[in-house]
Amino acid sequence: MDDKQKPQTIAQKILACHCGRDHVSEGEIINADVDIVLGNDITLPIAIEEFNKIGTGKVFDRDKIVVVPDHFAPNKDIKSAQQCKFMREFAREQDIKNYFEIGKMGIEHALLPELGLVLPGNLIVGADSHTCTYGALGAASTGVGSTDVAVAMATGKLWFMIPRTIKFMYSGDLRKWITGKDLILHTIGLIGVEGALYKSMEFSGSAVSKLSMDSRFTMSNMAIEAGGKFGIFEVDEITEEFLKFRSDGNYKIFRSDPDAEYEKIYNIDCSDIKLQVAAPHLPSNAKNAEDLKDINIDQVVIGSCTNGRMEDLKISAEILKGKKVDKNIRVIIIPATQNIYLEALKKGYIETFINSGCVVSTPTCGPCLGGYMGVLAEGERAVSTTNRNFVGRMGHPGSEVYLSGPAVAAASAIAGRIATPEEVI
Amino acid sequence: MIIRERTIKYGDNVDTDVIIPARYLNTSDDRELASHCFEGLDRDFKEKVKEKKIIIAGNNFGCGSSREHAPLSIKTSGVKAIIAASFSRIFFRNSINIGLPVISSREAADFIQDGDELEVDFSSGRIKDITRDKVFNINPLPEFIQGIIKSGGYINFVKEDLNK
Ligand code: SF4
């Protein structure tokens, strides 16, 4: 067969289209045009310094660069303030339209889809490993480093190696309380933290087609936790519904050819999947929450680019309504964007949280990366809806993080130990 | 390019949070970053790296965040190369982009022990464990990537390209 007619995966098609070709082969290196380049207050300062060395002066397209101060913003200390200032001045100088100051800001990976800045068929790079989140929209989106972002800002192009693809087929009906977080923790538990190293992960199957956009974002978000380059869903009615008020419909939908070649296909029956928790210190230490009931905790965090969306706050509010959080623990809830915050306020969730004894914060990454707003002390333990539980991720190297979805997090907040909703409702 | 150095060996899944914890990411000063390098994993790294400048590691080295601070802090600490069974994608990319040589070789990573003296020839793709008298031949990097390393990193490579 001539290469041109060879069946291809979504990842191959999007990459081919962005270097002006019909076909690309796995393992090949291409120089491709990117649609969106993203940077934040941690990674962009280095990228700006590197950008200045290239000497183009101007960014390649001021509308295609997105700048979000979210990790240590609102500024956590003087050094963070300096970094944010440096970034803000760059954005002004370059006249970057999509710069989001605090007050308009949200955690980048919740914010960009919400505003319709990332679309199906796009090739997106961000100097943040969870840039893979936008794969939920049928985009090829991946995290890169600061030097990459510098080059992409200057030239609009970047080198890519064409990845192989692993397909995950989810079937069966989800049990009560199960969300995308449980599916992805289960999946990473199955394949390990390097199970998809350098690979594109493709999520499909009958169970996925019923999954909310919020749950899909959660799954794509954690593709990197299995080493994945992309975590892609095909566009369907749920995607189109999400995009209806967020775009002018001007995007290209790519689908994998039915006979495309996969490195591996996993068939996962979701009706077997119970509420999941990843124990320290790897996201792949997935266990059933019901088997961890004797784990006492000091803190619960509900938020982040993984689980700080409406679906997560809704589930948390349902469980916390009329209940008090355990007197020995701290509970921190962080809506991922200002819009989500406002919506949760209107729906009465924020009132529920505060009445239950939770802290509600303005959007920020904050405790997710052990930055601020809930850093752990030595020997402390948290249940968190975030995506990483590496040693020291949320604070002291002697602290521990258990990763879960919103249902286990909210139930654990009431119980003061790892718990499932059935135990507290 | 040939280097002759001794090794420090670590295990699997050395993540970016233990290489450089996020609490130090409020700066991009490479000296300051280097002063905290591997703080979450090995308190003695700073002492060891004075004598041993090649890191040997297991699977998935550099997994986790995209922070370029991680390879940057390693490079600034004086490390001359990392040899691992496998690397996380972004870490691998970042290292090449900043000109820190990274070599994937499961065979070499398994065999070479902490403190061994190595001779690494990047152009011919040869690792020699002098202590244990064994040679490994490594797959040459793709031409495009060799080009980046030859230019001394992605920024120089692009600059040369723009000036063509
Ligand atoms: S919420 Fe956590 S994982 Fe997401 S971008 Fe922020 S620091 Fe990274």
Side-chain angles (χ1 to χ4, degrees):
Chain A
M1 203 184 313
D2 168 336
D3 252 9
K4 275 202 175 117
Q5 293 142 18
K6 262 200 184 158
Q8 299 189 95
T9 60
I10 300 187
Q12 281 175 292
K13 288 187 183 178
I14 297 177
L15 288 166
C17 164
H18 284 80
C19 64
R21 289 170 42 187
D22 298 328
H23 188 277
V24 289
S25 309
E26 287 161 350
E28 185 183 358
I29 291 179
I30 58 161
N31 210 19
D33 294 311
V34 294
D35 295 305
I36 290 288
V37 185
L38 164 72
N40 61 47
D41 52 317
I42 285 184
T43 55
L44 201 67
I46 295 188
I48 295 169
E49 284 168 18
E50 296 304 305
F51 170 84
N52 289 337
K53 289 182 198 160
I54 300 174
T56 55
K58 281 274 161 202
V59 297
F60 84 105
D61 183 342
R62 70 180 192 97
D63 294 339
K64 292 188 173 176
I65 290 159
V66 184
V67 176
V68 189
D70 56 358
H71 281 63
F72 293 155
N75 306 339
K76 101 173 167 100
D77 56 16
I78 294 171
K79 283 181 180 169
S80 316
Q82 294 293 125
Q83 300 223 104
C84 286
K85 182 173 175 226
F86 183 51
M87 193 167 95
R88 185 181 304 117
E89 284 171 355
F90 174 79
R92 280 192 193 143
E93 221 174 82
Q94 295 285 339
D95 203 12
I96 286 169
K97 193 174 71 184
N98 293 310
Y99 168 76
F100 298 98
E101 192 53 88
I102 61 161
K104 293 194 187 67
M105 167 275 263
I107 298 174
E108 53 202 272
H109 307 308
L111 188 68
L112 271 64
E114 182 182 279
L115 297 176
L117 293 172
V118 283
L119 295 170
N122 280 175
L123 178 57
I124 304 147
V125 292
D128 189 276
S129 59
H130 293 101
T131 305
C132 50
T133 309
Y134 320 132
L137 292 165
S141 187
T142 195
V144 295
S146 296
T147 298
D148 283 314
V149 158
V151 171
M153 287 198 302
T155 66
K157 285 180 188 298
L158 214 54
W159 67 272
F160 292 89
M161 197 185 284
I162 310 299
R164 305 204 68 188
T165 298
I166 303 179
K167 188 171 182 166
F168 297 84
M169 297 280 287
Y170 298 90
S171 62
D173 290 324
L174 304 191
R175 298 179 179 212
K176 177 132 177 85
W177 302 114
I178 300 292
T179 63
K181 184 62 164 285
D182 304 290
L183 303 193
I184 194 67
L185 287 178
H186 172 84
T187 305
I188 299 166
L190 190 74
I191 67 171
V193 288
E194 52 165 0
L197 201 57
Y198 307 119
K199 310 280 161 39
S200 173
M201 298 169 85
E202 212 176 289
F203 304 116
S204 60
S206 58
V208 152
S209 61
K210 286 176 255 167
L211 218 53
S212 68
M213 272 320 291
D214 283 0
S215 265
R216 294 182 192 188
F217 284 123
T218 305
M219 291 182 71
S220 294
N221 176 272
M222 289 192 75
I224 178 70
E225 259 52 71
K229 177 172 189 153
F230 304 133
I232 307 184
F233 286 82
E234 255 184 24
V235 173
D236 64 9
E237 305 85 69
I238 293 175
T239 332
E240 303 253 26
E241 181 63 33
F242 176 86
L243 290 167
K244 209 158 73 188
F245 302 107
R246 294 184 160 88
S247 84
D248 52 10
N250 207 355
Y251 50 78
K252 209 165 162 188
I253 297 172
F254 293 89
R255 299 186 194 284
S256 289
D257 292 321
D259 47 352
E261 223 182 274
Y262 293 99
E263 177 169 294
K264 207 164 180 177
I265 299 177
Y266 287 92
N267 287 300
I268 298 171
D269 182 356
C270 295
S271 52
D272 290 342
I273 298 177
K274 297 181 176 176
L275 286 166
Q276 297 289 292
V277 171
H281 288 286
L282 285 177
S284 56
N285 285 338
K287 304 188 187 320
N288 291 331
E290 59 185 29
D291 297 334
L292 294 171
K293 285 182 183 166
D294 48 358
I295 306 283
N296 287 318
I297 54 172
D298 304 284
Q299 176 166 302
V300 169
V301 174
I302 298 174
S304 85
C305 60
T306 318
N307 286 108
R309 298 186 179 78
M310 240 11 237
E311 178 177 88
D312 309 304
L313 299 186
K314 179 169 182 276
I315 292 172
S316 305
E318 262 170 55
I319 295 170
L320 283 162
K321 184 143 190 141
K323 302 270 188 325
K324 294 278 179 224
V325 306
D326 183 85
K327 64 178 192 320
N328 293 317
I329 68 166
R330 296 100 57 183
V331 182
I332 301 161
I333 300 185
I334 310 177
T337 68
Q338 290 286 78
N339 270 328
I340 296 170
Y341 200 161
L342 200 57
E343 192 65 25
L345 195 66
K346 286 184 195 151
K347 293 226 156 89
Y349 301 161
I350 304 295
E351 203 180 326
T352 297
F353 298 147
I354 293 176
N355 283 336
S356 304
C358 309
V359 164
V360 183
S361 157
T362 192
T364 179
C365 294
C368 170
L369 76 163
Y372 69 122
M373 277 296 297
V375 172
L376 298 174
E378 184 171 14
E380 287 192 325
R381 208 177 266 151
V383 166
S384 177
T385 68
T386 50
N387 47 39
R388 289 196 175 129
N389 55 356
F390 300 145
V391 171
R393 173 70 178 180
M394 200 174 270
H396 194 281
S399 62
E400 291 182 339
V401 177
Y402 286 75
L403 303 174
S404 79
V408 169
S412 305
I414 299 165
R417 56 169 175 82
I418 293 182
T420 58
E422 290 78 18
E423 297 178 68
V424 297
I425 292 187
Chain B
M1 187 172 94
I2 298 175
I3 59 167
R4 196 173 165 144
E5 298 287 350
R6 289 176 61 208
T7 62
I8 308 175
K9 188 162 181 171
Y10 296 128
D12 290 338
N13 299 316
V14 173
D15 62 76
T16 51
D17 280 298
V18 297
I19 298 173
I20 180 86
R23 58 185 175 279
Y24 303 123
L25 302 186
N26 52 8
T27 178
S28 52
D29 180 78
D30 52 3
R31 287 267 130 225
E32 197 178 333
L33 291 169
S35 72
H36 299 294
C37 188
F38 286 114
E39 207 174 276
L41 178 71
D42 181 2
R43 289 258 159 203
D44 303 325
F45 172 77
K46 253 178 284 177
E47 274 308 302
K48 289 182 188 166
V49 77
K50 290 180 188 157
E51 306 270 296
K52 303 167 163 185
K53 298 194 189 304
I54 295 177
I55 291 175
I56 307 291
N59 289 322
N60 207 17
F61 187 89
C63 61
S65 114
S66 67
R67 60 189 73 151
E68 206 158 294
H69 313 68
L72 201 60
S73 71
I74 295 176
K75 190 183 172 197
T76 311
S77 296
V79 169
K80 298 278 183 276
I82 308 172
I83 301 170
S86 66
F87 288 89
S88 95
R89 197 197 119 252
I90 306 178
F91 185 91
F92 190 78
R93 201 181 162 101
N94 284 346
S95 300
I96 290 167
N97 285 347
I98 65 165
L100 170 66
V102 276
I103 299 167
S104 312
S105 167
R106 190 166 301 273
E107 223 196 330
D110 282 349
F111 180 86
I112 298 166
Q113 293 305 312
D114 189 82
D116 285 4
E117 191 174 11
L118 304 188
E119 191 180 86
V120 184
D121 183 340
F122 295 99
S123 29
S124 74
R126 206 179 65 116
I127 304 170
K128 184 169 183 202
D129 187 328
I130 298 166
T131 313
R132 276 160 230 282
D133 194 23
K134 180 148 170 117
V135 172
F136 301 91
N137 289 306
I138 43 192
N139 280 341
L141 291 165
E143 217 172 294
F144 184 84
I145 292 177
Q146 278 192 39
I148 293 178
I149 292 176
K150 241 180 249 154
S151 304
Y154 202 13
I155 297 294
N156 287 340
F157 180 83
V158 170
K159 264 168 86 173
E160 286 165 16
D161 195 51
L162 288 173
N163 291 333
K164 253 181 214 164

